[in-house]
Amino acid sequence: MSKSKGNGIDPVDIIEQYGTDAMRYVLCDMQTGSQDIRLPVTAVCPSCDHHNDLSEAKTGKSVFIRICGKCKAEFDILGTIPDLPRGRLISERFDTGRAFCTKLWNSVRFALMNLDVPEPVAAKPVVREALALEDRWILDGLNETVKAVHAGLADYNRARPWARRATSSGARSATGTWSW
């Protein structure tokens, strides 16, 4: 992506389309340390909402003007030309982040809706042996996730997406969803 070539994505467009947490998750997932990352960019036509592949979309009078492949309308991808509507730049690579965050949100919401606690209560020490088997299983998964994140922080290696792997596998284990 390059601002001068007009194919850089505005983070606000990503947040509006996919959400803040999805963007954070995918950016952590994509980081490789020192290698460049390919991010397919799509320009959304403001006239017809058609998704135009930025690498294939025809340019208009400048590199920042694109012509929609469906309705043939011109639009500005940078938002600096006053006479043209602004098209949003997005990347469908953020769908995975939105899917992960949605599943996590729905799982936690389901659990909180089904807890039989009328008001928040102060935390009490828990005796592990007194817990049901499934509760111990969930706590073991949480403890493994915490250990993995602490180990990753202690021996930080930018080339390994340790935080994303630890949190997503921990969330899958805790919610019983292995198909994420």
Side-chain angles (χ1 to χ4, degrees):
M1 292 189 318
S2 166
K3 285 172 122 182
S4 62
K5 291 183 180 178
N7 62 1
I9 296 180
D10 185 353
V12 174
D13 289 342
I14 297 298
I15 291 169
E16 287 175 359
Q17 181 78 19
Y18 301 102
T20 307
D21 292 329
M23 183 179 77
R24 289 179 184 139
Y25 176 83
V26 172
L27 290 175
C28 288
D29 185 36
M30 288 186 339
Q31 67 88 19
T32 60
S34 61
Q35 294 180 348
D36 289 339
I37 300 168
R38 285 209 162 293
L39 187 67
V41 180
T42 303
V44 181
C45 175
S47 302
C48 68
D49 280 339
H50 177 69
H51 289 227
N52 299 278
D53 184 344
L54 205 57
S55 64
E56 298 173 1
K58 294 185 179 182
T59 58
K61 298 171 192 163
S62 83
V63 295
F64 303 119
I65 298 174
R66 294 294 194 271
I67 300 170
C68 178
K70 183 178 179 185
C71 71
K72 308 299 183 208
E74 285 189 333
F75 57 94
D76 177 15
I77 59 172
L78 202 56
T80 57
I81 303 173
D83 298 339
L84 287 177
R86 183 181 181 274
R88 291 177 297 131
L89 295 180
I90 61 170
S91 177
E92 275 129 26
R93 190 146 180 205
F94 290 92
D95 281 333
T96 58
R98 179 174 53 194
F100 173 76
C101 292
T102 300
K103 287 178 183 180
L104 187 60
W105 171 264
N106 287 337
S107 298
V108 171
R109 191 176 67 181
F110 176 79
L112 291 176
M113 286 174 27
N114 290 296
L115 285 175
D116 200 19
V117 179
E119 291 184 32
V121 293
K124 298 176 188 170
V126 176
V127 177
R128 187 181 192 292
E129 291 72 29
L131 296 172
L133 177 64
E134 56 272 13
D135 292 334
R136 290 187 303 226
W137 179 64
I138 290 172
L139 285 177
D140 285 344
L142 175 62
N143 288 334
E144 289 301 315
T145 301
V146 169
K147 285 179 191 174
V149 170
H150 280 293
L153 287 171
D155 180 34
Y156 183 63
N157 181 351
R158 294 185 313 169
R160 292 184 321 201
W162 54 268
R164 192 252 330 145
R165 284 194 188 119
T167 53
S168 64
S169 66
R172 278 196 289 281
S173 295
T175 59
T177 305
W178 295 279
S179 60
W180 293 6

